[in-house]
Amino acid sequence: MKNKGILTVVSGFSGSGKGTIMKELMANYSDVYALSISATTRAPRPGETHGKEYFFVSKEEFEGMIAGEELIEYAQYVNNYYGTPRDYVFEQLENGKDVILEIEIQGALKVKEKYPDTLLLFVSPPDAAELKKRLTNRGTEDAATIASRLSRAWQEAQGVENYDYFVINDVLEDCVKKVHGIIQNEHARVFRNQELIDTIKNELKEFSKGE
């Protein structure tokens, strides 16, 4: 019996390092995971390419995807759309891959509402000062955008209780191992194994006859 993959959403404050964690998971465990690529209307950052980090589309194209119900979820964040294309995700899950969506909190909660079996993980730096330092050191955004992201982080912190796991990203290697362990342990949860449990129970029923 082929195990179905687990749909996992990893969120975190901008600058928490969640993107780096995803890259490390894919590098170390590429046979286990599939990383869903989001569509977005924001401009590419230096070094980003279409179809790798994101599908970069126009506002008109994105709104066409919404109208065609081609997205699992979508949200607007700092004046741009972000969304998760549907077909790729479900194809990978059926093939037994654990699919990871790296999306922000609005989208994560929409996915959990639609698909209750979804696993939600929230990644955070050890403290707020470290978050500000990481955003500043990234060097890709101006002071106003950084301030906007920090303000947004405070709002996002109000929804962390809706997640299943809260993971601190201090030492990257440790954090990657922890996230991998959490996702793989989920496969042993009873509700994810109901079909197998029912099969075993039916087989055991034969032994109870005549007692």
Side-chain angles (χ1 to χ4, degrees):
M1 186 186 298
K2 184 163 70 173
N3 288 330
K4 190 177 178 182
I6 293 174
L7 180 58
T8 302
V9 173
V10 176
S11 305
F13 308 121
S14 182
S16 63
K18 60 188 181 298
T20 306
I21 293 166
M22 298 306 94
K23 285 175 184 170
E24 288 296 308
L25 278 175
M26 291 303 297
N28 295 328
Y29 312 103
S30 59
D31 56 329
V32 176
Y33 298 111
L35 183 59
S36 176
I37 302 171
S38 295
T40 183
T41 56
R42 80 155 168 78
R45 293 189 186 125
E48 290 183 333
T49 53
H50 178 76
K52 190 176 178 188
E53 286 80 14
Y54 286 93
F55 295 115
F56 295 100
V57 299
S58 68
K59 186 180 177 186
E60 291 72 24
E61 286 175 302
F62 197 100
E63 288 174 347
M65 293 171 81
I66 295 171
E69 298 187 351
E70 298 169 34
L71 301 166
I72 288 178
E73 57 75 38
Y74 69 92
Q76 213 161 0
Y77 177 55
V78 193
N79 300 320
N80 283 302
Y81 280 123
Y82 293 80
T84 304
R86 178 192 303 273
D87 289 350
Y88 174 81
V89 169
F90 284 95
E91 183 182 317
Q92 295 300 314
L93 289 173
E94 288 300 326
N95 288 334
K97 288 280 186 92
D98 295 327
V99 179
I100 304 177
L101 312 184
E102 183 200 324
I103 51 179
E104 45 68 60
I105 199 163
Q106 260 183 296
L109 298 182
K110 285 180 186 174
V111 173
K112 184 79 169 180
E113 188 179 335
K114 265 189 186 177
Y115 310 104
D117 290 356
T118 302
L119 175 65
L120 299 187
L121 282 82
F122 197 93
V123 177
S124 174
D127 53 48
E130 177 64 18
L131 178 64
K132 184 175 181 181
K133 180 182 165 188
R134 289 182 190 178
L135 281 171
T136 305
N137 290 349
R138 195 156 67 179
T140 57
E141 289 151 347
D142 59 24
T145 305
I146 290 171
S148 172
R149 292 193 183 279
L150 288 170
S151 174
R152 173 74 179 194
W154 179 84
Q155 295 170 12
E156 288 179 327
Q158 315 313 309
V160 171
E161 289 82 1
N162 294 297
Y163 280 68
D164 299 306
Y165 293 91
F166 183 75
V167 183
I168 294 295
N169 181 18
D170 190 3
V171 178
L172 177 63
E173 186 181 346
D174 293 345
C175 186
V176 170
K177 286 178 181 174
K178 187 178 289 185
V179 170
H180 176 63
I182 288 169
I183 297 171
Q184 295 317 305
N185 285 341
E186 275 293 303
H187 281 279
R189 292 280 296 273
V190 166
F191 81 90
R192 297 188 191 278
N193 289 278
Q194 197 57 56
E195 191 178 339
L196 178 58
I197 291 166
D198 289 342
T199 299
I200 292 171
K201 282 164 76 174
N202 284 331
E203 290 169 353
L204 290 171
K205 194 175 181 181
E206 294 300 312
F207 295 121
S208 71
K209 289 178 179 177
E211 284 188 9

